[in-house]
Amino acid sequence: MTSKKDLSERDICTKYIQPALVKAGWDTLTQIREEVSFTDGRIYVKGNLTSRGKQKRADYILYYKPNIPIAIIEAKSNKLSVNAGIQQGLNYAEILDIPSVYSSNGDGFYEHDRTCTDGEIEKEFSLDEFPSPEVLWQRYKKYKGIETPEQERISSQDYFFDGTDRKPRYYQQIAINRAVEAIAKGQGRLLLTMATGTGKTYTAFQIIHRLWKSKTKKRILFLADRNALIDQTKRGDFRHFKDKMTVIKNKNIDKSYEIYLALYQGLTNYDEDKDAYRKFSPDFFDLIVIDECHRGSASEDSAWREILNYFGNATHIGLTATPKETETISSTDYFGDPIYTYSLKQGIQDGFLAPYKVLRIGLNVDLEGWRPERGKTDKEGQLVDDRIYNRKDFDKNLIIDERTQTVARKVTEYLKKTNRFDKTIIFCTDIDHAQRMRSAIANENSDLMAINSKFVMQITGDNEEGKRELDNFTNPEEKHPVVATTSKLMTTGIDAQTCKIIVLDSNIASMTEFKQIIGRGTRINEEFGKSFFTIMDFRNVTDLFADPDFDGDPVRVKDIAEDDEIESPEDELETGDPIIDDDGEEITFDPPEPPEIIGGGDIISEPKAKYYVNGVNVAILNERIQYMDGNGKLITGSLKDYTKQKVREQYQSLDDFINKWNNADKKQAIIDELTEQGIIFENLKEAISKDMDIFDLICHTAFDQPPLTRAERVNNVKKRDYFTQYGEQARKVLEALLEKYADEGIENIEDIKILKVNPFDDFGTPMEIISLFGGKKQYLQAITELEMEIYAA
């Protein structure tokens, strides 16, 4: 008879935990979910390759109703104590906003009650005493402050399901539940802060749908400030409102609908007597949701605020990735502190958002300034003012043709090294700059322009041809346009799932605008090969990474030196420590005054006098790389020092590491373990030596040991005449594996799939090769012995 001690963790779940839950009254179909993975696993970038880290996974999550989680259970084998999983469970419960936490090894349950403020916060009880759904629902209500039957009715309203497998991610679930619960308790102003690409519109839809279905809010207004945002919303999740929904166009008001989508400028005539929103009574709407609320509603004198003040009795929910906080403007002053925040950093760590690396390209005229020689005139013959011009001047009041051409050339060089059809957005200083950049990119890519003239498009508020191509640019199925040059139009609300390159050639000092621009690349679309993106920074905008308000650092920063070519991802090198010095100053970014808002979001103001000059020597001065560690923090020292620190946290001594390495069934397990700590071995190889084995990289970097190259290790094995114990064919296989090790390292020879590729396919099928050793067990033993020979002292 099998002892309980011999059962696996899964067996404990099946034989003991599950029956206990059913006996307590939990429904297996609607209330119990097993092995719930609630993150996707962080994406690690290695050159141009990516791999996923581990997902966070709870053994059990218990739900009162779908998407309303009220308890979590961590299961352990019976060899461990009943409370062995409680700390892991608590960690997950804090992330998932769940009050009741349990651990079990099959003997009973150990409970932690997060609502308990005095008395017995933790206790143990038998398998037969697990609480019922109603008992834990009462505790959940206490945890959430839900006190009245009406609050309970609203808070437990069902989610919308469209018949597919789509369901909210854990952070969306928290945001939705907190918003509905806050409104159920009478809160009138709410702010949700969610990083770009994390599904704010879907979250808003579920909040609205639940409140609408429970008849808590009967008439709802969704406000945005871009036509593209309204169009995306209508075609997307809000389509489920069907004939109950309308979009307010041309200031035509029809009061027979329940859900209204509108541009704020579509409700305002800038004339108090004619404002379209005044055709509604002040109490017409019960709920107003303000998308991208940082763009207007934070400012007391904005047009948005006029609308919100008019409908002041309605509940107002602000949605933003970047709440605006300056000396004169505050989102939190109006909405209050966010009821939930899901940051860019957290999204990257969870694997829901794409990580990114940065190429910082310093041009000589930017870093050193440019002073015109005596009597220098521009292309129109005007005398150029004699002073030193710097980065803040370029493309604003001084245009240097060669500078624009250099930027276009470096962007094109990068595309040629990676993929010339990677979707790219170039953010320019203004519309004129975007127009000139389009021409420069076209000239650098004349071969592709000859095939399709939409390879590069200017997409700005004044350019109708470009705006018509916006949907094609954001559509993963459409190849063209590939490159978009813009100024303000594409900073927010554009869902560019496959954008792989963001080029910063604009002087951005606002943290709000910076985060919004970074957000254009954070969406993941693995079906189309988008799992990370690159920022090319020509203006030192990424100095804003040093700002304490920034919450999601890059995996890598590289500054390009004079005459350096842009390298392919496989050839990336570490060439210095990061330079992070100037904090960006926050600037006001209010909605523009008419007629500037017409046709899009670009700000069209009266042009200032500009000098257009050429004949200037523009060169590239510096290059720098910067990496991100396992916790999302920038590595500010050298990669070698960082690796040494992380390895020594895992292994106290050289002997400790060597013993673990030699005794590991697969060396890949140790490599994966250190990769989880943020050590990217591809980058370490580039920085120290491509010819070293990972074993030698670690011993040399962390323990100052003299290294051997892989070729030297192979020669040592051959000198020992190790292969004579095997038959002729088996010996040839091992010799080929040794050559593979010399070329590629230890990782590949451990994978049995290597037997499918050249030169092993010359020896026969994988099964035939394995049979040369007497079977799979003997083949794996031969690999183990080969590794022992490779790493013999």
Side-chain angles (χ1 to χ4, degrees):
M1 183 176 175
T2 304
S3 164
K4 188 189 284 190
K5 297 285 185 193
D6 296 328
L7 294 178
S8 68
E9 186 178 294
R10 272 290 93 206
D11 288 334
I12 293 294
C13 291
T14 303
K15 294 177 182 291
Y16 297 97
I17 297 176
Q18 189 86 1
L21 296 177
V22 172
K23 185 177 180 181
W26 294 85
D27 188 313
T28 55
L29 293 178
T30 62
Q31 294 184 307
I32 302 172
R33 286 186 62 202
E34 293 186 71
E35 296 189 288
V36 184
S37 294
F38 57 90
T39 71
D40 276 1
R42 178 180 165 186
I43 294 173
Y44 291 92
V45 183
K46 304 176 183 180
N48 64 343
L49 303 175
T50 58
S51 60
R52 288 273 189 180
K54 293 178 182 176
Q55 297 177 326
K56 286 188 170 70
R57 187 178 71 181
D59 291 322
Y60 283 93
I61 296 181
L62 306 182
Y63 297 81
Y64 182 66
K65 297 183 80 171
N67 293 303
I68 304 179
I70 60 176
I72 190 167
I73 305 172
E74 280 303 306
K76 297 297 176 185
S77 78
N78 197 252
K79 293 175 183 175
L80 300 173
S81 65
V82 70
N83 66 350
I86 201 69
Q87 289 194 161
Q88 184 180 356
L90 272 169
N91 178 35
Y92 290 171
E94 288 169 5
I95 295 170
L96 298 173
D97 203 20
I98 293 174
S100 297
V101 188
Y102 298 91
S103 171
S104 178
N105 65 352
D107 288 341
F109 289 98
Y110 192 85
E111 176 188 70
H112 181 104
D113 176 3
R114 295 181 68 212
T115 69
C116 183
T117 54
D118 58 8
E120 197 173 29
I121 195 170
E122 294 190 352
K123 64 181 178 182
E124 184 178 340
F125 50 81
S126 72
L127 289 173
D128 294 333
E129 296 176 290
F130 195 83
S132 69
E134 196 55 41
V135 168
L136 293 190
W137 173 242
Q138 295 304 318
R139 181 181 294 172
Y140 179 88
K141 289 194 295 181
K142 177 184 175 184
Y143 176 69
K144 293 286 191 170
I146 299 167
E147 297 174 346
T148 68
E150 179 65 3
Q151 291 173 4
E152 180 176 358
R153 182 187 71 81
I154 298 167
S155 298
S156 60
Q157 173 63 41
D158 289 338
Y159 276 65
F160 174 82
F161 292 97
D162 61 4
T164 69
D165 291 334
R166 185 181 188 188
K167 54 183 178 289
R169 292 170 172 169
Y170 84 86
Y171 62 85
Q172 294 170 337
Q173 185 176 268
I174 295 171
I176 295 161
N177 289 341
R178 285 194 184 178
V180 171
E181 289 157 2
I183 290 169
K185 291 183 285 186
Q187 191 168 328
R189 302 288 181 267
L190 288 76
L191 181 63
L192 285 172
T193 302
M194 296 169 65
T196 301
T198 56
K200 290 192 293 296
T201 307
Y202 177 63
T203 301
F205 165 73
Q206 287 286 6
I207 293 168
I208 292 169
H209 194 275
R210 290 179 68 197
L211 294 169
W212 178 62
K213 274 294 185 183
S214 68
K215 302 191 185 306
T216 308
K217 305 296 180 185
K218 297 176 182 178
R219 287 186 293 218
I220 295 129
L221 174 62
F222 182 89
L223 270 179
D225 74 334
R226 299 277 173 91
N227 272 312
L229 291 172
I230 291 292
D231 292 341
Q232 283 177 192
T233 302
K234 180 187 175 185
R235 293 195 309 265
D237 298 302
F238 278 57
R239 71 185 184 278
H240 298 296
F241 287 123
K242 299 179 181 176
D243 59 356
K244 303 294 184 183
M245 177 181 67
T246 187
V247 176
I248 299 174
K249 292 182 178 178
N250 302 319
K251 300 182 174 62
N252 292 326
I253 304 299
D254 184 339
K255 300 179 184 177
S256 63
Y257 293 90
E258 296 176 46
I259 312 292
Y260 292 79
L261 308 181
L263 294 175
Y264 80 82
Q265 54 265 45
L267 295 177
T268 310
N269 288 313
Y270 302 93
D271 181 337
E272 191 170 315
D273 296 328
K274 296 180 181 178
D275 284 336
Y277 65 83
R278 295 179 185 274
K279 294 179 183 178
F280 295 107
S281 69
D283 293 322
F284 185 84
F285 292 110
D286 305 306
L287 172 66
I288 300 178
V289 178
I290 306 97
D291 195 23
E292 305 291 358
C293 67
H294 65 279
R295 292 182 60 81
S297 56
S299 174
E300 287 187 23
D301 59 357
S302 72
W304 288 51
R305 187 63 72 87
E306 291 178 18
I307 298 171
L308 298 185
N309 289 341
Y310 182 79
F311 298 113
N313 292 332
T315 299
H316 297 170
I317 302 176
L319 303 175
T320 183
T322 50
K324 181 171 282 192
E325 299 298 324
T326 71
E327 290 183 7
T328 57
I329 297 174
S330 172
S331 298
T332 55
D333 276 355
Y334 184 79
F335 291 104
D337 291 332
I339 60 169
Y340 185 61
T341 296
Y342 189 71
S343 68
L344 172 65
K345 176 182 176 182
Q346 191 62 51
I348 292 173
Q349 288 181 343
D350 286 344
F352 295 126
L353 295 179
Y356 54 96
K357 47 190 177 181
V358 177
L359 271 65
R360 289 167 41 130
I361 302 169
L363 304 178
N364 60 341
V365 290
D366 290 4
L367 300 177
E368 298 175 344
W370 177 77
R371 183 178 180 182
E373 62 267 24
R374 184 184 296 275
K376 174 73 175 178
T377 58
D378 70 3
K379 290 194 288 187
E380 295 182 357
Q382 299 180 86
L383 188 66
V384 179
D385 287 348
D386 182 15
R387 66 178 179 87
I388 296 176
Y389 295 85
N390 59 34
R391 188 186 292 123
K392 291 183 179 179
D393 296 301
F394 299 138
D395 300 296
K396 185 178 181 182
N397 46 48
L398 178 78
I399 286 82
I400 300 175
D401 285 349
E402 288 82 3
R403 189 189 179 285
T404 308
Q405 292 159 8
T406 300
V407 171
R409 186 175 69 252
K410 298 310 287 186
V411 171
T412 302
E413 186 182 322
Y414 185 77
L415 284 168
K416 287 179 177 177
K417 294 284 184 166
T418 52
N419 181 350
R420 292 184 77 184
F421 290 94
D422 280 348
K423 293 290 179 90
T424 302
I425 304 175
I426 305 178
F427 287 96
C428 301
T429 299
D430 56 20
I431 288 173
D432 172 62
H433 185 200
Q435 192 173 38
R436 289 182 291 101
M437 186 61 70
R438 191 210 70 83
S439 297
I441 291 287
N443 286 332
E444 291 293 331
N445 295 274
S446 55
D447 56 337
L448 297 181
M449 288 293 289
I451 297 169
N452 190 320
S453 63
K454 292 181 179 177
F455 174 80
V456 57
M457 295 290 289
Q458 174 193 341
I459 302 180
T460 52
D462 70 326
N463 190 291
E464 293 303 320
E465 292 80 7
K467 284 197 293 184
R468 280 196 293 269
E469 291 297 323
L470 184 55
D471 282 348
N472 288 332
F473 179 81
T474 59
N475 184 353
E477 304 278 356
E478 294 290 340
K479 192 173 185 178
H480 294 91
V482 175
V483 181
T485 66
T486 190
S487 55
K488 301 291 184 188
L489 181 59
M490 298 175 74
T491 55
T492 65
I494 304 303
D495 188 5
Q497 296 177 22
T498 53
C499 176
K500 290 187 177 181
I501 303 168
I502 289 174
V503 180
L504 302 175
D505 197 25
S506 176
N507 298 315
I508 300 159
S510 160
M511 180 60 71
T512 297
E513 189 176 1
F514 178 56
K515 285 185 177 181
Q516 290 289 340
I517 287 174
I518 298 303
R520 296 315 101 211
T522 54
R523 287 169 175 83
I524 294 169
N525 190 325
E526 290 175 295
E527 180 185 352
F528 288 88
K530 163 68 184 299
S531 52
F532 72 96
F533 68 105
T534 300
I535 299 169
M536 298 185 73
D537 179 14
F538 289 88
R539 303 265 181 162
N540 267 20
V541 176
T542 50
D543 281 352
L544 288 170
F545 289 145
D547 193 297
D549 289 337
F550 193 76
D551 59 13
D553 295 326
V555 292
R556 165 187 168 92
V557 175
K558 174 173 188 166
D559 292 326
I560 295 181
E562 185 173 5
D563 299 327
D564 278 358
E565 286 190 3
I566 295 212
E567 294 136 350
S568 62
E570 293 85 355
D571 297 329
E572 292 168 346
L573 298 171
E574 180 188 32
T575 57
D577 293 332
I579 295 176
I580 302 175
D581 43 19
D582 300 328
D583 288 345
E585 288 185 11
E586 190 79 20
I587 61 169
T588 301
F589 189 51
D590 289 330
E593 294 297 318
E596 298 164 6
I597 55 174
I598 296 171
D602 278 282
I603 298 177
I604 307 167
S605 55
E606 286 297 315
K608 296 180 181 178
K610 291 183 179 182
Y611 296 117
Y612 293 79
V613 301
N614 54 20
V616 177
N617 174 42
V618 177
I620 291 165
L621 286 188
N622 65 10
E623 175 178 16
R624 183 169 299 103
I625 302 172
Q626 199 166 14
Y627 298 92
M628 186 166 72
D629 68 15
N631 295 315
K633 295 291 185 183
L634 286 173
I635 300 170
T636 54
S638 74
L639 185 60
K640 185 175 178 180
D641 290 342
Y642 176 77
T643 302
K644 182 175 185 177
Q645 172 200 334
K646 285 299 175 184
V647 171
R648 290 202 161 189
E649 285 176 8
Q650 296 285 106
Y651 306 101
Q652 294 181 357
S653 67
L654 176 63
D655 287 342
D656 186 20
F657 169 69
I658 291 174
N659 289 335
K660 182 72 179 288
W661 183 269
N662 287 336
N663 292 325
D665 290 336
K666 283 198 170 185
K667 315 307 180 201
Q668 187 65 48
I670 296 176
I671 295 168
D672 290 344
E673 191 177 80
L674 290 170
T675 300
E676 286 284 338
Q677 297 299 313
I679 299 171
I680 307 301
F681 287 105
E682 294 301 314
N683 295 335
L684 192 62
K685 285 178 185 177
E686 299 291 352
I688 298 176
S689 171
K690 283 185 176 182
D691 298 325
M692 271 192 215
D693 183 271
I694 285 181
F695 173 83
D696 284 285
L697 281 172
I698 295 171
C699 291
H700 175 64
T701 304
F703 301 106
D704 302 316
Q705 294 298 300
L708 294 176
T709 65
R710 291 194 299 272
E712 287 170 331
R713 288 194 174 276
V714 167
N715 286 333
N716 288 342
V717 174
K718 289 179 177 178
K719 287 176 189 174
R720 289 194 289 271
D721 206 17
Y722 153 71
F723 298 112
T724 53
Q725 60 180 298
Y726 294 98
E728 183 181 356
Q729 286 298 99
R731 186 165 63 248
K732 288 181 178 178
V733 171
L734 289 173
E735 287 171 347
L737 284 168
L738 199 58
E739 292 305 318
K740 274 287 181 186
Y741 162 78
D743 292 338
E744 301 174 5
I746 198 68
E747 305 95 295
N748 284 332
I749 74 167
E750 290 190 330
D751 191 339
I752 212 162
K753 292 177 183 176
I754 199 171
L755 300 181
K756 296 180 180 180
V757 302
N758 187 56
F760 301 99
D761 49 4
D762 292 340
F763 299 113
T765 67
M767 290 303 297
E768 288 171 338
I769 294 171
I770 288 170
S771 68
L772 296 173
F773 295 84
K776 185 176 180 181
K777 182 178 179 181
Q778 291 87 342
Y779 171 78
L780 294 175
Q781 179 61 32
I783 297 299
T784 300
E785 290 173 2
L786 177 61
E787 289 181 342
M788 290 174 64
E789 288 296 320
I790 289 172
Y791 297 113

